[in-house]
Amino acid sequence: MQKIRTTVKIAGKEYNITGYDPAEHVQRVAEHVDRTMSELSLTTHLPPAQLAVLAAINATDDMIKSRDEIRRLRAENERLRAELEKQADEK
């Protein structure tokens, strides 16, 4: 698989991102980071480096919460599946 090079703009600066994800995906990620940094800059007035760290912390928090929710939903799905199998066996 060939690497794809995508140029994105975050906080007014251009970055060249190289990876295997489609350019559209990389653009979506960059737009999210840019939007997050812009929103944070309105309320915090931090320098760009600190905004980037705060944006990374927020993104990581969202990711961890999402992973926890996925684990919870998978466990609930397994519990329900086992309950359905038990009910089917009892018939």
Side-chain angles (χ1 to χ4, degrees), residues 3 12 19-21 31-33 41-42 48 58 66-68 72 76 79 84 88-89 91:
K3 286 188 176 183
Y20 296 106
D21 291 316
E31 287 168 8
H32 181 76
V33 171
S41 72
L42 294 174
N58 286 340
S66 294
R67 285 181 179 175
D68 289 347
R72 186 193 69 74
E76 177 72 4
R79 185 189 68 74
L84 283 173
D89 290 342
K91 290 182 181 182

Side-chain angles (χ1 to χ4, degrees), residues 5-63:
R5 182 181 169 134
T6 307
T7 301
V8 300
K9 195 175 224 179
I10 300 171
K13 265 187 99 175
E14 286 193 355
Y15 296 90
N16 293 312
I17 310 292
T18 303
Y20 296 106
D21 291 316
E24 297 80 18
H25 175 77
V26 175
Q27 287 290 344
R28 276 183 65 203
V29 171
E31 287 168 8
H32 181 76
V33 171
D34 185 58
R35 186 173 45 254
T36 300
M37 289 183 66
S38 293
E39 290 169 0
L40 289 170
S41 72
L42 294 174
T43 58
T44 63
H45 306 292
L46 293 171
Q50 289 178 325
L51 282 174
V53 170
L54 190 53
I57 289 170
N58 286 340
T60 302
D61 179 56
D62 289 344
M63 179 194 67

